Structure formats: structure tokens, C-alpha cells
Amino acid sequence: MTGAVPGATGVEAGPRRGPRGFGNVWPPVAFGIGLLVLWELVVRIAGVPAFLLPAPSAIAGQIGAQFPVILSTAAVTGGNALVGLVAGFVIGVALALLAAGSRIFGELATPIVLAASAVPIVALAPVFTTMYGSATEIPRRLVVMVVVTVPVFVATARGLRQVQPVHAELMTALAATPWQHARFVRLPGAVPHIMTGLRLAAPAAVIASIVAEYFGGLQNGLGSRITAAAANTAYARAWAFVAASIALGLLFHFAGLLVERLVTRGRTA
């Protein structure tokens, strides 16, 4: 006969786990380190020329040597990306709200916004530079704004269309105006979609800002430094600025992800 153990629940205790989220972090970190080691070995053993692929150690050396320049240029590129991101986000949400409130405006605005997504940055950047001059950051910020507006508009418009029928009937029964309908029903329900659009647009803003710097203008951003270093055959230095661009893009991505989680916290059941 087996006696009952006081306080036993019948479930055996499992192995103690590490800090929450660590299991999701270490695999990509280990993969990245392994990839860098393999990269270094291949370059050194095979004698790959620097103009084809510099060694990670050479790139790291240039990051250390150019660190103050990297910070200043990343600040310029990041500032342009941030300004364009905010402007494009506001415009995208506003256009989606107007399209949801007016069928005629929606039929006119939607094709124009979607057509803007098909215009390549390599076509927009020179045009804006010619229009506003090469001594200002406005052309680059406008390029970012156009790139950001499209995903924000599409995500917001999709969220605004997903209204529960009972909510729509309630607004109709209360004789709510279109603005009241949008403010109290459509816009709150579309918040998760809006934040998804922001998360997707954040790294795209950095890409647009860097690419726009390839086509003239002030030589004070990451894109300009990449082209200048490559033109001077300083390939390890060019890759150092590429690494800084990747870090800046990841920073914007995680910032957008953080904003999305903070705003949408508690909304899911």
C-alpha cells in the first residue's frame, strides 16, 4: 500500500529551464558566429582577393578604425529614415482613413498608392534630388516617405475594413457620423494592423534611406560612404559601412517590433 504524499499533484517536476527567451536567442547567435568563422577560414585558406570578399577580421579592424565616422554617418542615415518613417506613417494612416470613409476617394487613392510601390527608388531619388537640390536632405526623406506610405496604407486599409457587423449596426442605430464611426470602431479595431504595417515599414525606411544616398546629394550617410570606399578600392572599409547599415536596419526592426508589442499588449484574447 502506497501512502499519499502531502502536497503532491501527480505531475513530476520537469527539468529547470534557463531564462525565458534564451532558447530562442542562442541558435541564431551560434549560427552567426559559426558563419563568421567559416568565412574567415575560407578567405584565408583559399586566398580570396579582398575585392571579392574581405575577411571578417579585416572588416572588424575597419569598424574599429572608422567607428567615429560610422556613428556620425549612421546618425545621418538613421535621422533621414526616422523622419521619412514618421511622415510616411502619418500619411499612410490618413489616406487609409479617408479611403475607408469615402468610397470615391478610396477608388481614386488606392490605385495611386499601389502604383507608387512599383516605382523603383533608383528612379525617385534622382528626380527628387533634381527638384530640391543636392545640398539638402529633403530628397532622401521624400524617398523614404513614399516607400513607407505604401505598406502602412495597405495594412491600415485592411484593418479598417475588418469591422464586426454588430459594431457597424450599433453605430448605425446610434446615428453616428462617419468620423465617429472611424474614431470609435474602425480605428481601434485596426490598431494591430496599423502596427504590423509600421513594423514592416521600419527596416524598409533604412533601406530606402541608404539607397537614396547612392544618387548624389550630400556625402554624409552610410550609402555615400559605401560607394566612396568601394570606388577607392577600400573594400574592407566598404564592408564595415555595410555592417553598420545592417545594424541600423536591425535597430529599426526591433524598435518597430517593440512599439507593436507595447501598443497591442492586452488586445488579444
PDB file of all heavy atoms in Angstrom, residues 121-155:
ATOM      1  N   ILE A 121      13.271  52.931 -56.372  1.00  0.00           N
ATOM      2  CA  ILE A 121      13.973  54.012 -55.678  1.00  0.00           C
ATOM      3  C   ILE A 121      14.989  54.668 -56.601  1.00  0.00           C
ATOM      4  O   ILE A 121      15.214  55.885 -56.528  1.00  0.00           O
ATOM      5  CB  ILE A 121      14.652  53.485 -54.411  1.00  0.00           C
ATOM      6  CG1 ILE A 121      13.619  52.861 -53.471  1.00  0.00           C
ATOM      7  CG2 ILE A 121      15.413  54.588 -53.690  1.00  0.00           C
ATOM      8  CD1 ILE A 121      14.228  52.233 -52.238  1.00  0.00           C
ATOM      9  N   VAL A 122      15.592  53.878 -57.484  1.00  0.00           N
ATOM     10  CA  VAL A 122      16.610  54.421 -58.391  1.00  0.00           C
ATOM     11  C   VAL A 122      16.019  55.450 -59.347  1.00  0.00           C
ATOM     12  O   VAL A 122      16.758  56.249 -59.940  1.00  0.00           O
ATOM     13  CB  VAL A 122      17.279  53.293 -59.195  1.00  0.00           C
ATOM     14  CG1 VAL A 122      18.050  52.368 -58.275  1.00  0.00           C
ATOM     15  CG2 VAL A 122      16.248  52.499 -59.991  1.00  0.00           C
ATOM     16  N   ALA A 123      14.691  55.448 -59.515  1.00  0.00           N
ATOM     17  CA  ALA A 123      14.042  56.459 -60.341  1.00  0.00           C
ATOM     18  C   ALA A 123      13.601  57.666 -59.511  1.00  0.00           C
ATOM     19  O   ALA A 123      13.641  58.801 -59.988  1.00  0.00           O
ATOM     20  CB  ALA A 123      12.842  55.857 -61.069  1.00  0.00           C
ATOM     21  N   LEU A 124      13.180  57.407 -58.280  1.00  0.00           N
ATOM     22  CA  LEU A 124      12.698  58.502 -57.433  1.00  0.00           C
ATOM     23  C   LEU A 124      13.830  59.395 -56.947  1.00  0.00           C
ATOM     24  O   LEU A 124      13.709  60.630 -56.955  1.00  0.00           O
ATOM     25  CB  LEU A 124      11.943  57.938 -56.228  1.00  0.00           C
ATOM     26  CG  LEU A 124      10.527  57.427 -56.443  1.00  0.00           C
ATOM     27  CD1 LEU A 124       9.975  56.862 -55.145  1.00  0.00           C
ATOM     28  CD2 LEU A 124       9.634  58.536 -56.964  1.00  0.00           C
ATOM     29  N   ALA A 125      14.914  58.787 -56.485  1.00  0.00           N
ATOM     30  CA  ALA A 125      15.984  59.559 -55.856  1.00  0.00           C
ATOM     31  C   ALA A 125      16.569  60.627 -56.774  1.00  0.00           C
ATOM     32  O   ALA A 125      16.700  61.793 -56.361  1.00  0.00           O
ATOM     33  CB  ALA A 125      17.069  58.614 -55.346  1.00  0.00           C
ATOM     34  N   PRO A 126      16.944  60.331 -58.026  1.00  0.00           N
ATOM     35  CA  PRO A 126      17.490  61.388 -58.877  1.00  0.00           C
ATOM     36  C   PRO A 126      16.487  62.498 -59.173  1.00  0.00           C
ATOM     37  O   PRO A 126      16.862  63.669 -59.262  1.00  0.00           O
ATOM     38  CB  PRO A 126      17.892  60.647 -60.158  1.00  0.00           C
ATOM     39  CG  PRO A 126      18.017  59.220 -59.766  1.00  0.00           C
ATOM     40  CD  PRO A 126      17.009  59.018 -58.693  1.00  0.00           C
ATOM     41  N   VAL A 127      15.210  62.122 -59.329  1.00  0.00           N
ATOM     42  CA  VAL A 127      14.192  63.132 -59.614  1.00  0.00           C
ATOM     43  C   VAL A 127      14.040  64.092 -58.443  1.00  0.00           C
ATOM     44  O   VAL A 127      14.022  65.325 -58.614  1.00  0.00           O
ATOM     45  CB  VAL A 127      12.845  62.454 -59.944  1.00  0.00           C
ATOM     46  CG1 VAL A 127      11.728  63.487 -60.030  1.00  0.00           C
ATOM     47  CG2 VAL A 127      12.945  61.673 -61.236  1.00  0.00           C
ATOM     48  N   PHE A 128      13.939  63.566 -57.244  1.00  0.00           N
ATOM     49  CA  PHE A 128      13.814  64.428 -56.063  1.00  0.00           C
ATOM     50  C   PHE A 128      15.073  65.263 -55.850  1.00  0.00           C
ATOM     51  O   PHE A 128      14.995  66.415 -55.413  1.00  0.00           O
ATOM     52  CB  PHE A 128      13.522  63.573 -54.829  1.00  0.00           C
ATOM     53  CG  PHE A 128      12.128  63.029 -54.778  1.00  0.00           C
ATOM     54  CD1 PHE A 128      11.855  61.818 -54.155  1.00  0.00           C
ATOM     55  CD2 PHE A 128      11.072  63.719 -55.340  1.00  0.00           C
ATOM     56  CE1 PHE A 128      10.561  61.312 -54.095  1.00  0.00           C
ATOM     57  CE2 PHE A 128       9.778  63.226 -55.301  1.00  0.00           C
ATOM     58  CZ  PHE A 128       9.521  62.026 -54.680  1.00  0.00           C
ATOM     59  N   THR A 129      16.231  64.691 -56.147  1.00  0.00           N
ATOM     60  CA  THR A 129      17.476  65.451 -55.998  1.00  0.00           C
ATOM     61  C   THR A 129      17.515  66.619 -56.964  1.00  0.00           C
ATOM     62  O   THR A 129      17.961  67.725 -56.616  1.00  0.00           O
ATOM     63  CB  THR A 129      18.696  64.530 -56.226  1.00  0.00           C
ATOM     64  OG1 THR A 129      18.656  63.463 -55.277  1.00  0.00           O
ATOM     65  CG2 THR A 129      19.993  65.299 -56.060  1.00  0.00           C
ATOM     66  N   THR A 130      17.039  66.407 -58.195  1.00  0.00           N
ATOM     67  CA  THR A 130      16.983  67.487 -59.167  1.00  0.00           C
ATOM     68  C   THR A 130      15.973  68.557 -58.761  1.00  0.00           C
ATOM     69  O   THR A 130      16.210  69.757 -58.947  1.00  0.00           O
ATOM     70  CB  THR A 130      16.620  66.931 -60.558  1.00  0.00           C
ATOM     71  OG1 THR A 130      17.576  65.925 -60.926  1.00  0.00           O
ATOM     72  CG2 THR A 130      16.613  68.026 -61.603  1.00  0.00           C
ATOM     73  N   MET A 131      14.868  68.131 -58.183  1.00  0.00           N
ATOM     74  CA  MET A 131      13.814  69.078 -57.805  1.00  0.00           C
ATOM     75  C   MET A 131      14.210  69.942 -56.616  1.00  0.00           C
ATOM     76  O   MET A 131      13.980  71.157 -56.612  1.00  0.00           O
ATOM     77  CB  MET A 131      12.526  68.309 -57.476  1.00  0.00           C
ATOM     78  CG  MET A 131      11.873  67.626 -58.672  1.00  0.00           C
ATOM     79  SD  MET A 131      10.493  66.554 -58.186  1.00  0.00           S
ATOM     80  CE  MET A 131       9.423  67.717 -57.334  1.00  0.00           C
ATOM     81  N   TYR A 132      14.808  69.327 -55.592  1.00  0.00           N
ATOM     82  CA  TYR A 132      15.060  70.040 -54.339  1.00  0.00           C
ATOM     83  C   TYR A 132      16.529  70.387 -54.117  1.00  0.00           C
ATOM     84  O   TYR A 132      16.862  71.018 -53.117  1.00  0.00           O
ATOM     85  CB  TYR A 132      14.549  69.196 -53.160  1.00  0.00           C
ATOM     86  CG  TYR A 132      13.056  69.027 -53.169  1.00  0.00           C
ATOM     87  CD1 TYR A 132      12.477  67.891 -53.725  1.00  0.00           C
ATOM     88  CD2 TYR A 132      12.219  69.999 -52.629  1.00  0.00           C
ATOM     89  CE1 TYR A 132      11.098  67.727 -53.740  1.00  0.00           C
ATOM     90  CE2 TYR A 132      10.847  69.843 -52.639  1.00  0.00           C
ATOM     91  CZ  TYR A 132      10.295  68.708 -53.204  1.00  0.00           C
ATOM     92  OH  TYR A 132       8.935  68.549 -53.224  1.00  0.00           O
ATOM     93  N   GLY A 133      17.407  69.963 -55.029  1.00  0.00           N
ATOM     94  CA  GLY A 133      18.812  70.301 -54.893  1.00  0.00           C
ATOM     95  C   GLY A 133      19.583  69.223 -54.150  1.00  0.00           C
ATOM     96  O   GLY A 133      19.016  68.373 -53.457  1.00  0.00           O
ATOM     97  N   SER A 134      20.907  69.278 -54.301  1.00  0.00           N
ATOM     98  CA  SER A 134      21.777  68.280 -53.710  1.00  0.00           C
ATOM     99  C   SER A 134      22.375  68.712 -52.378  1.00  0.00           C
ATOM    100  O   SER A 134      23.201  67.987 -51.816  1.00  0.00           O
ATOM    101  CB  SER A 134      22.919  67.947 -54.686  1.00  0.00           C
ATOM    102  OG  SER A 134      23.659  69.120 -54.993  1.00  0.00           O
ATOM    103  N   ALA A 135      21.989  69.873 -51.880  1.00  0.00           N
ATOM    104  CA  ALA A 135      22.555  70.372 -50.625  1.00  0.00           C
ATOM    105  C   ALA A 135      21.577  70.249 -49.461  1.00  0.00           C
ATOM    106  O   ALA A 135      21.720  70.925 -48.446  1.00  0.00           O
ATOM    107  CB  ALA A 135      22.991  71.828 -50.778  1.00  0.00           C
ATOM    108  N   THR A 136      20.578  69.393 -49.610  1.00  0.00           N
ATOM    109  CA  THR A 136      19.580  69.221 -48.564  1.00  0.00           C
ATOM    110  C   THR A 136      19.240  67.741 -48.423  1.00  0.00           C
ATOM    111  O   THR A 136      19.460  66.946 -49.350  1.00  0.00           O
ATOM    112  CB  THR A 136      18.305  70.022 -48.894  1.00  0.00           C
ATOM    113  OG1 THR A 136      17.301  69.770 -47.909  1.00  0.00           O
ATOM    114  CG2 THR A 136      17.757  69.628 -50.258  1.00  0.00           C
ATOM    115  N   GLU A 137      18.688  67.383 -47.273  1.00  0.00           N
ATOM    116  CA  GLU A 137      18.288  66.002 -47.013  1.00  0.00           C
ATOM    117  C   GLU A 137      16.853  65.722 -47.453  1.00  0.00           C
ATOM    118  O   GLU A 137      16.376  64.589 -47.317  1.00  0.00           O
ATOM    119  CB  GLU A 137      18.426  65.695 -45.514  1.00  0.00           C
ATOM    120  CG  GLU A 137      19.817  65.877 -44.941  1.00  0.00           C
ATOM    121  CD  GLU A 137      20.791  64.814 -45.402  1.00  0.00           C
ATOM    122  OE1 GLU A 137      20.361  63.865 -46.097  1.00  0.00           O
ATOM    123  OE2 GLU A 137      21.985  64.925 -45.076  1.00  0.00           O
ATOM    124  N   ILE A 138      16.157  66.720 -47.970  1.00  0.00           N
ATOM    125  CA  ILE A 138      14.746  66.552 -48.324  1.00  0.00           C
ATOM    126  C   ILE A 138      14.532  65.445 -49.351  1.00  0.00           C
ATOM    127  O   ILE A 138      13.597  64.636 -49.203  1.00  0.00           O
ATOM    128  CB  ILE A 138      14.160  67.895 -48.823  1.00  0.00           C
ATOM    129  CG1 ILE A 138      14.119  68.905 -47.681  1.00  0.00           C
ATOM    130  CG2 ILE A 138      12.766  67.694 -49.411  1.00  0.00           C
ATOM    131  CD1 ILE A 138      13.602  70.275 -48.089  1.00  0.00           C
ATOM    132  N   PRO A 139      15.338  65.347 -50.420  1.00  0.00           N
ATOM    133  CA  PRO A 139      15.083  64.278 -51.397  1.00  0.00           C
ATOM    134  C   PRO A 139      15.118  62.882 -50.784  1.00  0.00           C
ATOM    135  O   PRO A 139      14.259  62.042 -51.092  1.00  0.00           O
ATOM    136  CB  PRO A 139      16.214  64.467 -52.418  1.00  0.00           C
ATOM    137  CG  PRO A 139      16.595  65.896 -52.303  1.00  0.00           C
ATOM    138  CD  PRO A 139      16.435  66.233 -50.856  1.00  0.00           C
ATOM    139  N   ARG A 140      16.069  62.624 -49.900  1.00  0.00           N
ATOM    140  CA  ARG A 140      16.178  61.303 -49.304  1.00  0.00           C
ATOM    141  C   ARG A 140      15.000  61.020 -48.378  1.00  0.00           C
ATOM    142  O   ARG A 140      14.483  59.903 -48.329  1.00  0.00           O
ATOM    143  CB  ARG A 140      17.499  61.183 -48.554  1.00  0.00           C
ATOM    144  CG  ARG A 140      18.704  61.322 -49.461  1.00  0.00           C
ATOM    145  CD  ARG A 140      19.980  61.549 -48.712  1.00  0.00           C
ATOM    146  NE  ARG A 140      21.118  61.688 -49.638  1.00  0.00           N
ATOM    147  CZ  ARG A 140      22.347  61.964 -49.260  1.00  0.00           C
ATOM    148  NH1 ARG A 140      22.627  62.130 -47.971  1.00  0.00           N
ATOM    149  NH2 ARG A 140      23.319  62.080 -50.143  1.00  0.00           N
ATOM    150  N   ARG A 141      14.575  62.022 -47.647  1.00  0.00           N
ATOM    151  CA  ARG A 141      13.435  61.836 -46.757  1.00  0.00           C
ATOM    152  C   ARG A 141      12.151  61.617 -47.540  1.00  0.00           C
ATOM    153  O   ARG A 141      11.269  60.854 -47.105  1.00  0.00           O
ATOM    154  CB  ARG A 141      13.311  63.045 -45.834  1.00  0.00           C
ATOM    155  CG  ARG A 141      14.490  63.179 -44.870  1.00  0.00           C
ATOM    156  CD  ARG A 141      14.459  64.459 -44.077  1.00  0.00           C
ATOM    157  NE  ARG A 141      15.613  64.546 -43.171  1.00  0.00           N
ATOM    158  CZ  ARG A 141      15.866  65.588 -42.384  1.00  0.00           C
ATOM    159  NH1 ARG A 141      15.059  66.649 -42.397  1.00  0.00           N
ATOM    160  NH2 ARG A 141      16.922  65.563 -41.586  1.00  0.00           N
ATOM    161  N   LEU A 142      12.030  62.269 -48.691  1.00  0.00           N
ATOM    162  CA  LEU A 142      10.848  62.054 -49.523  1.00  0.00           C
ATOM    163  C   LEU A 142      10.828  60.634 -50.083  1.00  0.00           C
ATOM    164  O   LEU A 142       9.767  60.012 -50.167  1.00  0.00           O
ATOM    165  CB  LEU A 142      10.830  63.068 -50.667  1.00  0.00           C
ATOM    166  CG  LEU A 142      10.503  64.517 -50.282  1.00  0.00           C
ATOM    167  CD1 LEU A 142      10.600  65.428 -51.504  1.00  0.00           C
ATOM    168  CD2 LEU A 142       9.112  64.618 -49.672  1.00  0.00           C
ATOM    169  N   VAL A 143      11.986  60.131 -50.461  1.00  0.00           N
ATOM    170  CA  VAL A 143      12.058  58.750 -50.948  1.00  0.00           C
ATOM    171  C   VAL A 143      11.601  57.782 -49.862  1.00  0.00           C
ATOM    172  O   VAL A 143      10.799  56.870 -50.113  1.00  0.00           O
ATOM    173  CB  VAL A 143      13.492  58.418 -51.406  1.00  0.00           C
ATOM    174  CG1 VAL A 143      13.628  56.930 -51.680  1.00  0.00           C
ATOM    175  CG2 VAL A 143      13.854  59.207 -52.648  1.00  0.00           C
ATOM    176  N   VAL A 144      12.086  57.975 -48.645  1.00  0.00           N
ATOM    177  CA  VAL A 144      11.684  57.121 -47.527  1.00  0.00           C
ATOM    178  C   VAL A 144      10.184  57.236 -47.280  1.00  0.00           C
ATOM    179  O   VAL A 144       9.494  56.235 -47.038  1.00  0.00           O
ATOM    180  CB  VAL A 144      12.476  57.481 -46.263  1.00  0.00           C
ATOM    181  CG1 VAL A 144      12.000  56.644 -45.074  1.00  0.00           C
ATOM    182  CG2 VAL A 144      13.977  57.264 -46.480  1.00  0.00           C
ATOM    183  N   MET A 145       9.667  58.455 -47.339  1.00  0.00           N
ATOM    184  CA  MET A 145       8.244  58.671 -47.091  1.00  0.00           C
ATOM    185  C   MET A 145       7.385  57.897 -48.085  1.00  0.00           C
ATOM    186  O   MET A 145       6.391  57.253 -47.714  1.00  0.00           O
ATOM    187  CB  MET A 145       7.925  60.155 -47.174  1.00  0.00           C
ATOM    188  CG  MET A 145       6.486  60.517 -46.879  1.00  0.00           C
ATOM    189  SD  MET A 145       6.134  62.256 -47.260  1.00  0.00           S
ATOM    190  CE  MET A 145       6.207  62.195 -49.054  1.00  0.00           C
ATOM    191  N   VAL A 146       7.755  57.928 -49.363  1.00  0.00           N
ATOM    192  CA  VAL A 146       6.990  57.206 -50.383  1.00  0.00           C
ATOM    193  C   VAL A 146       7.048  55.701 -50.138  1.00  0.00           C
ATOM    194  O   VAL A 146       6.027  55.005 -50.225  1.00  0.00           O
ATOM    195  CB  VAL A 146       7.524  57.545 -51.790  1.00  0.00           C
ATOM    196  CG1 VAL A 146       6.859  56.672 -52.846  1.00  0.00           C
ATOM    197  CG2 VAL A 146       7.288  59.014 -52.104  1.00  0.00           C
ATOM    198  N   VAL A 147       8.232  55.203 -49.805  1.00  0.00           N
ATOM    199  CA  VAL A 147       8.393  53.763 -49.565  1.00  0.00           C
ATOM    200  C   VAL A 147       7.579  53.316 -48.359  1.00  0.00           C
ATOM    201  O   VAL A 147       6.963  52.242 -48.371  1.00  0.00           O
ATOM    202  CB  VAL A 147       9.886  53.429 -49.389  1.00  0.00           C
ATOM    203  CG1 VAL A 147      10.069  51.990 -48.912  1.00  0.00           C
ATOM    204  CG2 VAL A 147      10.643  53.659 -50.686  1.00  0.00           C
ATOM    205  N   VAL A 148       7.536  54.121 -47.311  1.00  0.00           N
ATOM    206  CA  VAL A 148       6.845  53.752 -46.076  1.00  0.00           C
ATOM    207  C   VAL A 148       5.335  53.858 -46.230  1.00  0.00           C
ATOM    208  O   VAL A 148       4.585  53.054 -45.660  1.00  0.00           O
ATOM    209  CB  VAL A 148       7.344  54.636 -44.917  1.00  0.00           C
ATOM    210  CG1 VAL A 148       6.454  54.493 -43.690  1.00  0.00           C
ATOM    211  CG2 VAL A 148       8.788  54.290 -44.572  1.00  0.00           C
ATOM    212  N   THR A 149       4.871  54.827 -46.983  1.00  0.00           N
ATOM    213  CA  THR A 149       3.431  55.072 -47.096  1.00  0.00           C
ATOM    214  C   THR A 149       2.685  53.844 -47.596  1.00  0.00           C
ATOM    215  O   THR A 149       1.578  53.540 -47.124  1.00  0.00           O
ATOM    216  CB  THR A 149       3.168  56.265 -48.025  1.00  0.00           C
ATOM    217  OG1 THR A 149       3.775  57.440 -47.472  1.00  0.00           O
ATOM    218  CG2 THR A 149       1.677  56.515 -48.187  1.00  0.00           C
ATOM    219  N   VAL A 150       3.283  53.118 -48.521  1.00  0.00           N
ATOM    220  CA  VAL A 150       2.560  52.014 -49.164  1.00  0.00           C
ATOM    221  C   VAL A 150       2.213  50.891 -48.180  1.00  0.00           C
ATOM    222  O   VAL A 150       1.029  50.535 -48.043  1.00  0.00           O
ATOM    223  CB  VAL A 150       3.369  51.473 -50.360  1.00  0.00           C
ATOM    224  CG1 VAL A 150       2.662  50.263 -50.970  1.00  0.00           C
ATOM    225  CG2 VAL A 150       3.565  52.550 -51.405  1.00  0.00           C
ATOM    226  N   PRO A 151       3.173  50.287 -47.462  1.00  0.00           N
ATOM    227  CA  PRO A 151       2.779  49.202 -46.546  1.00  0.00           C
ATOM    228  C   PRO A 151       1.878  49.666 -45.411  1.00  0.00           C
ATOM    229  O   PRO A 151       1.006  48.915 -44.976  1.00  0.00           O
ATOM    230  CB  PRO A 151       4.121  48.677 -46.014  1.00  0.00           C
ATOM    231  CG  PRO A 151       5.078  49.793 -46.203  1.00  0.00           C
ATOM    232  CD  PRO A 151       4.638  50.499 -47.437  1.00  0.00           C
ATOM    233  N   VAL A 152       2.089  50.900 -44.935  1.00  0.00           N
ATOM    234  CA  VAL A 152       1.227  51.408 -43.862  1.00  0.00           C
ATOM    235  C   VAL A 152      -0.197  51.592 -44.375  1.00  0.00           C
ATOM    236  O   VAL A 152      -1.174  51.233 -43.699  1.00  0.00           O
ATOM    237  CB  VAL A 152       1.792  52.726 -43.310  1.00  0.00           C
ATOM    238  CG1 VAL A 152       0.811  53.344 -42.301  1.00  0.00           C
ATOM    239  CG2 VAL A 152       3.137  52.490 -42.641  1.00  0.00           C
ATOM    240  N   PHE A 153      -0.339  52.137 -45.575  1.00  0.00           N
ATOM    241  CA  PHE A 153      -1.675  52.329 -46.159  1.00  0.00           C
ATOM    242  C   PHE A 153      -2.378  50.995 -46.358  1.00  0.00           C
ATOM    243  O   PHE A 153      -3.547  50.840 -46.001  1.00  0.00           O
ATOM    244  CB  PHE A 153      -1.552  53.072 -47.489  1.00  0.00           C
ATOM    245  CG  PHE A 153      -2.839  53.164 -48.252  1.00  0.00           C
ATOM    246  CD1 PHE A 153      -3.759  54.170 -47.976  1.00  0.00           C
ATOM    247  CD2 PHE A 153      -3.146  52.250 -49.250  1.00  0.00           C
ATOM    248  CE1 PHE A 153      -4.959  54.245 -48.675  1.00  0.00           C
ATOM    249  CE2 PHE A 153      -4.335  52.320 -49.957  1.00  0.00           C
ATOM    250  CZ  PHE A 153      -5.246  53.323 -49.666  1.00  0.00           C
ATOM    251  N   VAL A 154      -1.680  50.024 -46.932  1.00  0.00           N
ATOM    252  CA  VAL A 154      -2.294  48.723 -47.212  1.00  0.00           C
ATOM    253  C   VAL A 154      -2.723  48.037 -45.916  1.00  0.00           C
ATOM    254  O   VAL A 154      -3.845  47.522 -45.806  1.00  0.00           O
ATOM    255  CB  VAL A 154      -1.322  47.844 -48.012  1.00  0.00           C
ATOM    256  CG1 VAL A 154      -1.875  46.423 -48.140  1.00  0.00           C
ATOM    257  CG2 VAL A 154      -1.075  48.435 -49.389  1.00  0.00           C
ATOM    258  N   ALA A 155      -1.839  48.022 -44.906  1.00  0.00           N
ATOM    259  CA  ALA A 155      -2.164  47.365 -43.642  1.00  0.00           C
ATOM    260  C   ALA A 155      -3.312  48.073 -42.924  1.00  0.00           C
ATOM    261  O   ALA A 155      -4.218  47.423 -42.386  1.00  0.00           O
ATOM    262  CB  ALA A 155      -0.931  47.322 -42.742  1.00  0.00           C
TER     263      ALA A 155
END
